[in-house]
């Protein structure tokens, strides 16, 4: 039997009629059509499904959709501005070659967003530690760390500190 | 029929649901349960979620700590009283999974899953933690030893849930640490050692040592402890503790490590943790 689940998605209220056993990942992709969030392993290991729920990075493949009710969910689709202008972290991933095939990128970018919200000036070690739960099979991570480092600088610059 | 996802908001409501739906499974952070369900593509008859049970979402700091069963590990590690009094628990959470996992997983879930390598178990063992269990019939408290009975097996009875983990206040001068080795961070431990030491001048006072992933259940190492208690602090004592620990554990060989390597590494971690705790700027990681 379907149930109605409502939450904020990237700033907008959404409601969906869903099977209550589904994961947030399924509903984002299949019901709401937001396919930026990826499924890699479905076991919490790869981080391709990373989204923010009330600001905290979680694996949406391990997150029952019913737990999203009443929360604020942010996915990679919520980063760019309405006119398409990229956010500093997206810009930095482009500038530094932080994406190759791009499959891991939405999850890594969201892990980066969570890191920078908590720690606007992370060391390289802190950036690497924050990516423990995100696998990339292409880049070798060097460009990803560089991109997040640059995003930190750009974000601090924008805030004027 | 039809699957139902229950989200009680009080403990009383949760217990009523658990009694009413004996086939339902309990979900806290879901980091073990959801992996199991995703892998088997099984839909249980119902899930009862503890995430919105208000009473379980707090850490109470009175005489010791009472950590609610729905508190994510990240909030445990960042709580000032945990950092001040229970650094081995902070060490364990620091090496635990990933930020995403720490934002969801709970202490109670770690114990209920009863993996031999559960990272929070060795620290909770050296801190004499108690597992608070509730059912419609009342409340009882068990030590970790009495709660974790074997790989995947606990003393949890039908109709019961874990409502909190309680940790008594630490002795003022005690220092503690948790060291673990895995192949990489995002993997279960090959071995993990928690130790707590009180120094009496240059002599070791009360000591507790516990290890994970080297026996069917996480466990204290009483023989190793007795080598250390009352002995002179120093390399000789640490080496004897290392040798004793290597004998006292009963590890298996698996994909992560051989039995011999687990014995070797556990000894090394015992020695290293004691040396760090006894050194003047010891404690922490
Ligand atoms: C990618 C990944 C990395 C991981 N890394 C680690 C690691 O480094 N170290 C480690 O030890 N573990 C690790 N784990 C395992 C897991 O995250 C932990 O065991 C976690 O603490 C489980 O807590 P949870 O709240 O998510 O449990 P859940 O999955 O919600 O529940 C686990 C089991 O306990 C039962 N349960 C949970 N809470 C209660 C309660 N209050 N009362 C009664 N029953 C209950 C559930 O019914 C279920 O059977 C990892 C898992 C993943 C997916
Ligand atoms: S798909 Fe969720 S962690 Fe891999
Ligand atoms: S860019 Fe291909 S997996 Fe990371």
């Amino acid at each position: 039997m379907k149930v109605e689940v409502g939450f904020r998605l990237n700033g907008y209220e959404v409601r969906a009629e869903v099977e209550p056993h589904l994961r947030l990942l399924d509903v984002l992709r299949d019901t709401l059509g937001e396919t930026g969030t990826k499924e890699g392993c479905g076991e919490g290991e790869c981080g391709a499904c990373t989204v923010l729920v009330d600001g905290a990075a979680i694996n949406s493949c391990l997150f029952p959709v019913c737990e999203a009710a009443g929360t604020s969910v942010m996915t990679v689709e919520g980063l760019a501005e309405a006119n398409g202008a990229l956010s500093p972290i997206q810009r930095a991933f482009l500038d530094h070659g932080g994406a190759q095939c791009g499959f891991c990128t939405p999850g890594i970018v969201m892990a980066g967003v969570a890191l920078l919200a908590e720690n606007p000036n992370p060391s390289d070690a802190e950036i690497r530690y924050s990516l423990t739960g995100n696998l990339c099979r292409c880049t070798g991570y060097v460009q990803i760390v560089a991109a997040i480092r640059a995003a930190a600088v750009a974000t601090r610059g924008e805030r004027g500190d | 029929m039809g699957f139902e996802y229950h989200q009680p908001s009080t403990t009383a409501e949760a217990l009523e649901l658990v009694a009413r739906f004996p086939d339902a499974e309990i979900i806290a952070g879901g980091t073990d349960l959801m992996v199991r369900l995703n892998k088997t593509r099984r839909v249980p008859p119902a899930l009862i979620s503890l995430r919105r049970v208000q009473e379980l979402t707090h850490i109470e700091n009175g005489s010791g700590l009472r950590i609610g069963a729905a508190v994510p590990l990240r909030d445990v590690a960042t709580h000032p009283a945990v950092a001040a009094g229970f650094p081995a628990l902070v060490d364990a959470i620091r090496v635990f999974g990933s930020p995403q996992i720490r934002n969801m997983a709970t202490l109670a879930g770690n114990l209920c899953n009863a993996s031999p390598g559960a990272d929070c178990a060795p620290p909770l063992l050296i801190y004499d933690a108690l597992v608070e269990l509730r059912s419609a019939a009342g409340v009882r408290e068990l030590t970790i030893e009495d709660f974790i009975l074997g790989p995947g097996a606990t003393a949890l009875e039908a109709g019961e849930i874990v409502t909190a983990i309680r940790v008594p206040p630490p002795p003022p001068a005690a220092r503690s640490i948790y060291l673990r080795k895995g192949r990489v961070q995002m993997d279960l431990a090959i071995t993990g050692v928690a130790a707590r030491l009180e120094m009496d001048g240059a002599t070791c006072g009360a000591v507790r040592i516990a290890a994970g992933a080297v026996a069917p259940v996480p466990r204290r190492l009483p023989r190793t402890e007795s080598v250390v208690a009352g002995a002179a602090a120093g390399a000789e004592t640490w080496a004897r503790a290392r040798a004793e620990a290597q004998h006292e554990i009963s590890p298996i060989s698996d994909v992560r490590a051989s039995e011999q390597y687990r014995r070797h590494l556990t000894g090394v971690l015992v020695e290293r943790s004691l040396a760090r705790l006894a050194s003047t700027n010891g404690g922490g990681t």
Side-chain angles (χ1 to χ4, degrees):
Chain A
M1 200 183 55
K2 289 197 174 183
V3 296
E4 191 181 62
V5 174
F7 52 92
R8 277 184 91 75
L9 176 60
N10 299 323
Y12 297 94
E13 292 295 335
V14 294
R15 312 210 131 257
E17 291 270 319
V18 298
E19 292 291 344
H21 70 269
L22 291 178
R23 309 165 299 171
L24 177 59
L25 175 65
D26 305 317
V27 171
L28 287 174
R29 290 182 56 86
D30 304 337
T31 313
L32 299 169
E34 298 283 21
T35 54
T37 306
K38 307 299 185 213
E39 174 160 23
C41 62
E43 297 180 11
E45 298 280 345
C46 76
C49 65
T50 303
V51 304
L52 309 191
V53 173
D54 290 335
I58 56 100
N59 303 103
S60 62
C61 71
L62 302 181
F63 201 83
V65 66
C66 295
E67 297 294 351
T71 69
S72 175
V73 178
M74 187 158 164
T75 69
V76 71
E77 285 94 346
L79 295 181
E81 287 170 37
N83 65 7
L86 296 182
S87 65
I89 191 163
Q90 289 173 303
R91 188 76 253 159
F93 267 73
L94 276 183
D95 292 346
H96 290 81
Q100 285 183 23
C101 81
F103 193 84
C104 70
T105 312
I108 295 200
V109 166
M110 295 318 288
V113 169
L115 169 68
L116 297 184
E118 196 177 290
N119 180 357
N121 191 11
S123 65
D124 280 10
E126 286 167 332
I127 294 174
R128 288 178 183 281
Y129 178 64
S130 78
L131 296 178
T132 320
N134 293 85
L135 296 177
C136 174
R137 299 291 80 167
C138 301
T139 64
Y141 302 98
V142 171
Q143 300 93 322
I144 290 174
V145 173
I148 295 179
R149 196 191 307 124
V153 172
T155 309
R156 293 199 305 275
E158 277 192 2
R159 286 197 200 131
D161 53 39
Chain B
M1 50 154 283
F3 170 88
E4 276 191 83
Y5 197 93
H6 299 281
Q7 294 174 290
S9 53
T10 65
T11 308
E13 225 183 296
L15 290 175
E16 198 185 300
L17 287 164
V18 172
R20 185 139 54 94
F21 301 106
D23 295 332
E25 296 201 41
I26 293 163
I27 178 168
T31 60
D32 281 314
L33 184 72
M34 291 296 287
V35 171
R36 207 146 68 221
L37 297 183
N38 288 350
K39 270 190 183 165
T40 55
R41 303 201 165 263
R42 187 173 64 85
V43 180
L47 288 179
I48 300 167
S49 167
L50 302 182
R51 269 195 175 93
R52 296 185 187 215
V53 179
Q54 277 306 314
E55 295 124 297
L56 306 186
T57 58
H58 306 291
I59 298 181
E60 284 163 37
N61 181 13
S63 170
L65 297 180
R66 185 173 173 282
I67 302 171
V71 179
L73 291 181
R74 167 210 159 106
D75 293 351
V76 176
T78 52
H79 193 283
V82 178
F86 307 95
L89 193 52
V90 178
D91 292 344
I93 296 172
R94 198 176 155 74
V95 297
F96 198 108
S98 63
Q100 292 90 326
I101 294 292
R102 294 191 291 272
N103 282 337
M104 298 188 282
T106 63
L107 269 189
N110 199 218
L111 298 180
C112 289
N113 198 53
S115 156
D119 274 306
C120 295
L124 291 174
L125 277 165
I126 62 164
Y127 293 135
D128 290 327
L130 294 170
V131 182
E132 181 188 287
L133 299 131
R134 255 173 231 274
S135 68
V139 58
R140 59 181 185 137
E141 285 191 328
L142 295 179
T143 61
I144 308 280
E145 283 98 335
D146 289 339
F147 181 71
I148 302 185
L149 302 179
T154 67
L156 201 65
E157 282 173 10
E160 236 176 6
I161 63 173
V162 174
T163 41
I165 309 300
R166 289 214 309 112
V167 205
R175 286 181 173 153
S176 51
I177 190 170
Y178 177 67
L179 296 177
R180 91 137 177 206
K181 287 290 169 201
R183 296 176 301 182
V184 293
Q185 157 122 14
M186 274 285 279
D187 191 18
L188 298 183
I190 289 173
T191 172
V193 170
R196 180 170 101 182
L197 182 63
E198 288 167 72
M199 293 298 295
D200 185 3
T203 305
C204 299
V207 63
R208 267 125 207 266
I209 301 171
V214 292
V217 296
R219 54 168 293 218
R220 290 264 299 271
L221 302 180
R223 286 187 356 231
T224 307
E225 291 173 358
S226 63
V227 164
V228 178
E236 215 175 292
T237 300
W238 314 148
R240 285 177 52 222
R242 166 189 181 146
E244 189 61 49
Q246 284 166 343
H247 282 108
E248 191 168 10
I249 58 177
S250 47
I252 56 164
S253 296
D254 66 9
V255 291
R256 295 192 172 80
S258 66
E259 180 203 327
Q260 291 93 320
Y261 185 54
R262 281 202 163 89
R263 284 193 197 276
H264 171 78
L265 206 52
T266 307
V268 170
L269 294 189
V270 165
E271 182 175 32
R272 192 175 291 169
S273 58
L274 292 169
R276 290 221 192 141
L277 292 178
S279 76
T280 36
N281 49 7
T285 28

